Amino acid sequence: MTDLTRLTIAEARARLAAKDFTALELTDAYLGAIEAANGALNAYVTVTPEQARKMAVASDARIADGKAGALEGIPLGIKDLFATEGVHTQACSHILDGFKPRYESTVTANLWADGAVMLGKLNMDEFAMGSSNESSYYGPVKNPWRAEGANRDLVPGGSSGGSAAAVAAHLCAGATATDTGGSIRQPAAFTGTVGIKPTYGRCSRWGIVAFASSLDQAGPIARDVRDAAILLKSMASTDAKDTTSVDLPVPDYEQALGGSLKGMKIGIPREYRVDGMPDEIEALWQKGIAWLKDAGAEIVDISLPHTKYALPAYYIVAPAEASSNLARYDGVRYGLRVDGKDIADMYEQTRAEGFGQEVKRRIMIGTYVLSAGYYDAYYLRAQKVRTLIKRDFETAFHAGVDAILTPATPSSAFGIADQELAADPVKMYLNDVFTVTVNMAGLPGIAVPAGLDASGLPLGLQLIGKPFEEETLFKTAYAIEQAAGRFEPKRWW
Ligand code: GLN
């Protein structure tokens, strides 16, 4: 039999329906691939083979009964940030040691309701804070890609590094991920995969460990645009348990794929040409512009003048919300408890031991910017900047722009334990320069692979759309994918 893990979700869906193989065989193929690769890549923090096989057997029964759901028998990996009933859910933090929720997140419940199979939980930066997956309590994830002729280990990006690596290395057919400032799009770009952060409110946040509640959104990482469209359709819903989820029907995103881009206006924001950006990124951007022109779109230059304030404002808003959200981890309610001489000491010991360095840094920044006397100068001002960033996009869309094309990241994947980045956290934060604006404005953004750099590493382009117009992004990203082709890492693990 051909290697079943090579199939896309769309291909596997068709062949399961045709009864070419069973969901159990497909699941076993992925479990075998995980067993062979996870020691090297560290993409999964827990694998759930028994549950997977049980779900696959149930899928086979539904297929036999003609009752297959939209994702029937499709094996998925789940970011460790999503609550999965009775299964490891620790946001890859020490402070949630042993936490197994008694409930299921809405997004994962939607996936299981459509027949998907859970393979296990995926590695990530602790509490989704990071751009390299190096802040995980479970150690770094290795990117399945390596520079040509080199054997240096590269990061898969973050915070959804496990999701991106698992998808790129065929250790799942697709994965859930979350994006607060770029955590779906940046790892997708670093691994040659497709990742979409939908509009804020499109997916329910219920049962997803909160980082920065006004920015957090769930979305899929997949091997191609069609698979991302299929996954988002199942993940998205209106949910009474999340008051920020939006009461709008979920379109059949797959229907949007194909066709000409005639009549579409694509904006190119001049402020995304940042200092020190490698020539290759500029060249990739120009290639993207040419492809979209060829597909029939009109290209227009636009200005998003407040772009330069997005990153500093994000690093006030996100830590502020995080410091408040993470106050609940006190050693009383969940996970780790380190005893102290009294209750206050117990809180302190638990938090000192349970949180990693990056999480502590965020909590301290967040507490500082929210404290009396600083609130107006930092937090309130950052919120005002946020409004201005949103207004920049609104102005462009009002002028007739349908989507905005930018690079996804300012570079290709960098090395694990990069000394320069370790020494200066702000350098690490710069990875998000093209992605955070989208979270600040609550807009949808998709990263799609567009080429390889000089050393053979994948690079991605980003498309930014109007609220709840994910279909436009899928359609446009599909045109890029058709022109650019697909990219697969050479297997070394
Ligand atoms: N890299 C960004 C951060 O560290 C974004 C993370 C995310 O989107 N979850 O905050």
Side-chain angles (χ1 to χ4, degrees):
M1 201 187 310
T2 55
D3 181 357
L4 298 181
T5 66
R6 306 313 295 175
L7 303 174
T8 63
I9 292 176
E11 289 163 352
R13 178 181 64 182
R15 293 195 42 196
L16 281 167
K19 303 201 172 66
D20 279 358
F21 48 80
T22 65
L24 185 58
E25 285 168 328
L26 183 61
T27 292
D28 276 333
Y30 276 109
L31 290 171
I34 296 169
E35 200 167 294
N38 205 47
L41 299 177
N42 200 27
Y44 281 86
V45 292
T46 202
V47 186
T48 52
E50 281 174 29
Q51 194 162 334
R53 291 199 178 100
K54 222 163 99 185
M55 291 172 95
V57 167
S59 280
D60 281 325
R62 284 190 293 269
I63 293 170
D65 286 350
K67 290 187 184 135
L71 283 174
E72 201 63 71
I74 303 297
L76 303 179
I78 303 298
K79 188 176 182 179
D80 199 36
L81 207 61
F82 291 80
T84 41
E85 192 182 345
V87 176
H88 189 288
T89 300
Q90 291 181 206
C92 285
S93 179
H94 186 35
I95 210 158
L96 276 166
D97 259 4
F99 179 58
K100 292 194 168 83
R102 282 182 286 174
Y103 56 92
E104 192 73 30
S105 81
T106 298
V107 164
T108 48
N110 289 344
L111 293 170
W112 315 144
D114 275 350
V117 168
M118 176 166 77
L119 293 168
K121 299 302 283 288
L122 294 162
N123 206 339
M124 54 180 282
D125 277 305
E126 185 181 2
F127 283 104
M129 297 172 189
S131 304
S132 66
N133 212 120
E134 293 171 293
S135 76
S136 168
Y137 180 63
Y138 298 93
V141 175
K142 288 183 190 166
N143 194 327
W145 287 83
R146 280 180 168 173
E148 236 156 74
N151 56 11
R152 180 170 179 223
D153 289 326
L154 303 177
V155 303
S159 66
S160 312
S163 306
V167 170
H170 295 254
L171 308 186
C172 57
T176 67
T178 61
D179 191 313
T180 302
S183 280
I184 291 176
R185 293 158 288 157
Q186 185 253 16
F190 276 14
T191 56
T193 57
V194 176
I196 180 164
K197 181 204 92 73
T199 313
Y200 184 79
R202 184 63 288 183
C203 289
S204 169
R205 290 181 296 107
W206 198 78
I208 300 173
V209 177
F211 166 8
S213 306
S214 76
L215 301 160
D216 299 342
Q217 248 313 280
I221 293 183
R223 287 203 288 269
D224 66 13
V225 175
R226 181 177 301 278
D227 282 4
I230 295 171
L231 286 172
L232 182 61
K233 163 101 176 95
S234 287
M235 291 169 73
S237 65
T238 310
D239 183 11
K241 296 203 225 67
D242 173 6
T243 51
T244 64
S245 86
V246 168
D247 188 8
L248 274 178
V250 182
D252 184 352
Y253 297 116
E254 229 186 322
Q255 294 290 324
L257 308 184
S260 125
L261 302 186
K262 231 177 163 50
M264 269 185 69
K265 224 185 232 186
I266 304 290
I268 308 298
R270 71 173 72 98
E271 291 79 7
Y272 281 58
R273 201 155 277 125
V274 296
D275 282 349
M277 187 165 90
D279 293 343
E280 307 191 276
I281 302 283
E282 175 65 36
L284 182 87
W285 200 3
Q286 293 306 325
K287 257 203 295 193
I289 291 172
W291 289 329
L292 295 183
K293 247 193 223 163
D294 286 349
E298 181 192 343
I299 306 293
V300 291
D301 285 327
I302 61 167
S303 173
L304 301 168
H306 297 92
T307 300
K308 63 173 176 291
Y309 303 115
L311 202 59
Y314 169 85
Y315 276 98
I316 290 173
V317 174
E321 294 185 18
S323 71
S324 160
N325 276 325
L326 271 57
R328 73 190 73 173
Y329 305 108
D330 55 9
V332 176
R333 283 167 283 196
Y334 326 80
L336 182 75
R337 175 179 300 174
V338 180
D339 288 331
K341 56 182 191 304
D342 52 32
I343 189 157
D345 192 41
M346 186 277 284
Y347 293 156
E348 286 174 14
Q349 302 288 344
T350 301
R351 288 169 69 85
E353 199 172 311
F355 290 134
Q357 212 190 351
E358 184 59 31
V359 174
K360 284 182 192 159
R361 180 182 293 131
R362 306 283 179 114
I363 293 173
M364 285 192 282
I365 296 170
T367 309
Y368 178 80
V369 299
L370 289 176
S371 55
Y374 296 105
Y375 182 92
D376 289 358
Y378 293 107
Y379 185 71
L380 212 61
R381 188 173 296 180
Q383 291 293 16
K384 288 179 181 165
V385 168
R386 187 172 181 177
T387 304
L388 295 173
I389 291 165
K390 191 158 174 275
R391 205 172 288 164
D392 283 353
F393 283 108
E394 283 164 2
T395 306
F397 292 135
H398 282 148
V401 166
D402 297 290
I404 295 167
L405 180 74
T406 78
T409 56
S411 73
S412 61
F414 46 87
I416 289 183
D418 184 300
Q419 290 307 311
E420 220 182 301
L421 290 171
D424 182 359
V426 174
K427 285 217 171 92
M428 184 67 88
Y429 298 170
L430 283 171
N431 267 284
D432 308 320
V433 65
F434 300 138
T435 50
V436 290
T437 51
V438 177
N439 303 74
M440 293 294 264
L443 302 173
I446 193 168
V448 59
L452 301 177
D453 72 1
S455 56
L457 295 174
L459 294 170
L461 287 170
Q462 172 178 237
L463 288 155
I464 304 167
K466 297 181 199 170
F468 302 101
E469 293 198 8
E470 283 79 7
E471 287 163 290
T472 307
L473 297 188
F474 282 123
K475 186 181 171 79
T476 317
Y478 188 73
I480 291 179
E481 181 177 75
Q482 295 292 305
R486 313 275 179 93
F487 305 91
E488 289 279 332
K490 278 200 203 86
R491 192 169 168 159
W492 53 265
W493 56 89

